[in-house]
């Protein structure tokens, strides 16, 4: 009788642990699915075509020309840059 009772209690404990493991596996699969969906969404958002579209909306365009800056020694202070054209100065508090 004691052996039968111990067998039944052991089987019930084993069954409850298997149910708990199944629930944890289901939760893991759900979390992995949510993660994969978020990765997919962020991948689409960071695609080059999306970046180019958003850059165009911000009026960021390809440069007309690129000027190569010559290498210089870091021991010598560089002169101030010379700009061709006019750029209005805007206070940081107004921006």
């Amino acid at each position: 009788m004691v052996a039968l009772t111990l067998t039944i209690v052991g089987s019930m404990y084993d069954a409850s642990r298997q149910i708990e493991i199944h629930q944890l596996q289901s939760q893991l699969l759900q979390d992995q699915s949510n993660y994969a969906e978020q990765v997919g969404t962020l991948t689409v958002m960071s695609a080059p075509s999306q970046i180019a579209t958003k850059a165009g909306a911000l009026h960021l365009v390809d440069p007309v020309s690129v000027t190569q800056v010559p290498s210089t020694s870091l021991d010598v202070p560089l002169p101030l840059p010379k700009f061709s054209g006019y750029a209005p100065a805007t206070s940081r508090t107004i921006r």
Side-chain angles (χ1 to χ4, degrees):
M1 189 65 165
V2 173
L4 181 62
T5 303
L6 287 176
T7 304
I8 291 173
V9 170
S11 295
M12 289 175 56
Y13 177 75
D14 187 41
S16 68
R17 291 291 293 163
Q18 287 185 5
I19 290 172
E20 185 179 346
I21 289 172
H22 180 271
Q23 290 171 342
L24 289 172
Q25 286 176 334
S26 296
Q27 181 65 39
L28 175 64
L29 286 174
Q30 182 64 38
D31 290 344
Q32 286 176 334
S33 174
N34 290 341
Y35 175 75
E37 185 176 326
Q38 290 176 353
V39 167
T41 301
L42 292 175
T43 301
V44 168
M45 288 173 48
S46 64
S49 61
Q50 291 293 323
I51 301 296
T53 301
K54 293 195 185 215
L58 295 171
H59 304 293
L60 300 173
V61 296
D62 291 331
V64 176
S65 66
V66 177
T67 304
Q68 180 68 34
V69 178
S71 63
T72 184
S73 171
L74 296 177
D75 296 331
V76 178
L78 294 175
L80 293 175
K82 296 178 183 170
F83 296 102
S84 59
Y86 170 75
T90 307
S91 171
R92 288 185 178 185
T93 57
I94 297 174
R95 292 184 206 169

